[in-house]
Amino acid sequence: MRRRAFLATGLAAFAAPAAEDYRHTPGFHSLYNLDYDRAIEVFEAQSLEPEADGDSHNFLASALLFRTLFRADALDGAVALSVSDYLHKPKVAMSTSDRSRFLAALSKAESISRARIAKNPNSAEALYTLGEAYTNRANLALLVDKEWRAALKTGGEARTLHTQALEKDKTLIDAMLVPSIHEYVVGNLPIYLKALGFLVGFSGDREKGLNGLRMVAAKGLRAKVEAQVLLALVDRREDRPKSALAIMRALAGEFPTNHLYRREVANILLDSKRKDEARSEFAELGDPRYRFLKPQRLELYKREFEARLRA
């Protein structure tokens, strides 16, 4: 893994209320189907309710951030597979309005969470929600502003909070995601870079990270989809195409307007030299149901796909 690949330390967005899988509630259904405008409307309305908790503000911040990344074509699987290359590209433009709304939402989420922790230091939910706010800040620093040092610091704080949440409540499976990403990524570092993790009390354990990621992908309630996507990317990177393909095909079926999932299926098939199947999957991107795939972006995808076919 290249030198900065370990910086993907907090890429876990979109939490959801406990004890219920919220993938198909209106906000999250829109979110995973790439209808970010609608998701933002839903989450903003939830955040304005009198009894709104910190989660609703985190949801809004996440949707604002990922709409920005989507518009910049920065949600491609290749970004996660090569963070180093991504960090060398120009910063992603985020409108002043969206950045202001994003930061205001996070400040509110943090304020509510800290008040809950002050009242009950053993509140795993409050620790988790505060950690999610820190995760959102780490994602902004890494993916938009390309400030990897800030992302590393804030992502580490998110990991600590989620580890504390797990200590309070071991059934809070979603809190395993950020620590597991850290374990896996740092566990893949060369020995001289692992020393950096050791200096901050974290050396990384690749297998522990993978096991945690699998656990969230199987049993998570809040971060299940994120864990599944990350697990598929790890499987693709580590030459386990059968597993990666099964995950991405299931997600492409579950969220039928998300062309990113369908494109990833085609890419995995290409990795496996299954060119005819890859062509068939890629042809699906021209279907009208993929209404968030703009024609100019589809043309770019076609050129990239054809180049890979010839390679």
Side-chain angles (χ1 to χ4, degrees), residues 180-200:
S180 296
I181 294 169
H182 282 240
E183 293 280 6
Y184 173 78
V185 176
V186 177
N188 273 293
L189 291 176
I191 189 64
Y192 69 93
L193 286 177
K194 279 188 180 183
L196 295 176
F198 231 16
L199 289 173
V200 294

Side-chain angles (χ1 to χ4, degrees), residues 74-126:
L75 292 180
D76 189 287
V79 172
L81 290 170
S82 184
V83 175
S84 178
D85 288 348
Y86 178 75
L87 288 174
H88 282 91
K89 294 179 180 179
K91 294 181 180 181
V92 172
M94 187 176 196
S95 72
T96 301
S97 173
D98 280 357
R99 183 179 288 266
S100 177
R101 292 167 74 192
F102 173 86
L103 294 175
L106 291 190
S107 293
K108 189 67 175 177
E110 291 166 357
S111 175
I112 292 171
S113 300
R114 289 193 177 102
R116 290 180 64 192
I117 293 168
K119 185 178 295 185
N120 178 13
N122 292 317
S123 174
E125 289 291 334

